[in-house]
């Protein structure tokens, strides 16, 4: 891993999508059969505002350091960096691999809301909370996708959740306008 994407300048927008592989077959009578394949991951597109050469230089250098798709790094999407809930403290989670219900504990207080992103301290994978949780120190937290590996009283990160990603292709392009301002979009995908 080669660090974290520079946080300044701040991207003006972030698109986050969930990529879940599903095999679907529909018969001529309309009967549908569907099966999911493991390996859900998030993809992120960051769009930056017009930047001067000196503003763009740290981003350009960091992207060059990734050596195309070879390296991985972390990104904290600016538009989704903090949980919607009122979570504070150090909540923990316990569950086996494949679970979508996490038993809560620890010293956390407050709430997590459906749509919040979380990460476990010993995981590279980011998960989404899919049901409101009114007390993060007790009860059960419902997430998707299922846990890739077990967690045992593992700290839950709920603010400034870092996505571990890599570039999606080998070509990185930026444009310089007639006003000498740089235009740049960055596409990354979660590395599992």
């Amino acid at each position: 891993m080669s660090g974290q994407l520079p946080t300044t300048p701040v991207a003006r927008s972030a698109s986050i999508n969930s990529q879940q592989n599903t095999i679907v077959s529909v018969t001529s009578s309309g009967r549908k059969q569907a099966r999911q394949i493991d390996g859900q991951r998030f993809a992120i597109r960051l769009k930056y505002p017009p930047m001067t050469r000196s503003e763009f230089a740290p981003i350009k250098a960091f992207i060059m350091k990734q050596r195309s798709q070879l390296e991985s790094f972390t990104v904290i999407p600016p538009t989704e960096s903090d949980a919607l809930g009122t979570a504070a403290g150090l909540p923990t989670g316990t569950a086996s691999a494949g679970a979508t219900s996490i038993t809560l504990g620890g010293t956390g207080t407050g709430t997590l809301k459906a749509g919040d992103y979380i990460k476990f301290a010993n995981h590279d994978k980011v998960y989404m909370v899919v049901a409101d949780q009114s007390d993060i120190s007790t009860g059960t937290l419902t997430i998707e996708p299922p846990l890739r590996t077990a967690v045992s009283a593992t700290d839950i990160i709920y603010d400034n959740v870092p996505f571990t990603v890599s570039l999606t292709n080998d070509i990185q392009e930026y444009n310089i306008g007639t006003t000498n301002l740089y235009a740049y979009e960055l596409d990354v995908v979660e590395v599992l």
Side-chain angles (χ1 to χ4, degrees):
M1 176 135 57
S2 66
Q4 180 179 326
L5 180 71
T7 55
T8 55
V10 176
R12 92 177 145 199
S13 68
S15 302
I16 303 174
N17 67 60
S18 173
Q19 299 176 349
Q20 179 76 49
N21 296 321
T22 306
I23 298 172
V24 178
S25 175
V26 180
T27 65
S28 58
S29 66
R31 182 172 177 209
K32 176 183 163 184
Q33 293 183 4
R35 182 172 63 112
Q36 281 192 334
I37 301 170
D38 287 340
Q40 182 278 348
R41 55 193 190 156
F42 292 104
I44 302 170
R45 171 174 285 161
L46 297 173
K47 292 183 181 181
Y48 288 89
M51 298 172 278
T52 64
R53 182 177 179 190
S54 62
E55 291 171 330
F56 180 54
I59 295 171
K60 180 171 63 170
F62 183 84
I63 295 303
M64 182 60 93
K65 189 169 89 171
Q66 301 316 303
R67 301 173 67 199
S68 294
Q69 299 177 65
L70 181 64
E71 298 291 335
S72 63
F73 55 98
T74 59
V75 170
I76 299 173
T79 56
E80 299 273 338
S81 60
D82 292 329
L84 290 171
T86 60
L90 293 171
T92 61
T94 302
S96 58
T100 57
S101 294
I102 312 302
T103 303
L104 294 169
T107 61
T109 61
T111 64
L112 285 172
K113 296 288 190 179
D116 284 343
Y117 293 103
I118 65 165
K119 188 174 186 176
F120 296 95
N122 64 347
H123 281 218
D124 284 334
K125 177 78 183 104
V126 171
Y127 301 92
M128 182 182 286
V129 175
V130 294
D132 289 354
Q133 176 60 34
S134 61
D135 182 358
I136 61 168
S137 66
T138 185
T140 303
L141 182 65
T142 307
I143 63 165
E144 283 293 335
L147 282 175
R148 293 181 54 83
T149 59
V151 292
S152 178
T154 304
D155 290 346
I156 299 172
I157 301 164
Y158 50 84
D159 279 335
N160 296 314
V161 177
F163 289 71
T164 302
V165 299
S166 70
L167 299 172
T168 59
N169 59 54
D170 290 333
I171 299 172
Q172 294 299 308
E173 177 181 331
Y174 56 89
N175 297 308
I176 306 168
T178 56
T179 58
N180 288 331
L181 293 176
Y182 290 72
Y184 188 62
E185 288 184 15
L186 177 63
D187 291 312
V188 295
V189 66
E190 195 173 23
V191 177
L192 305 177

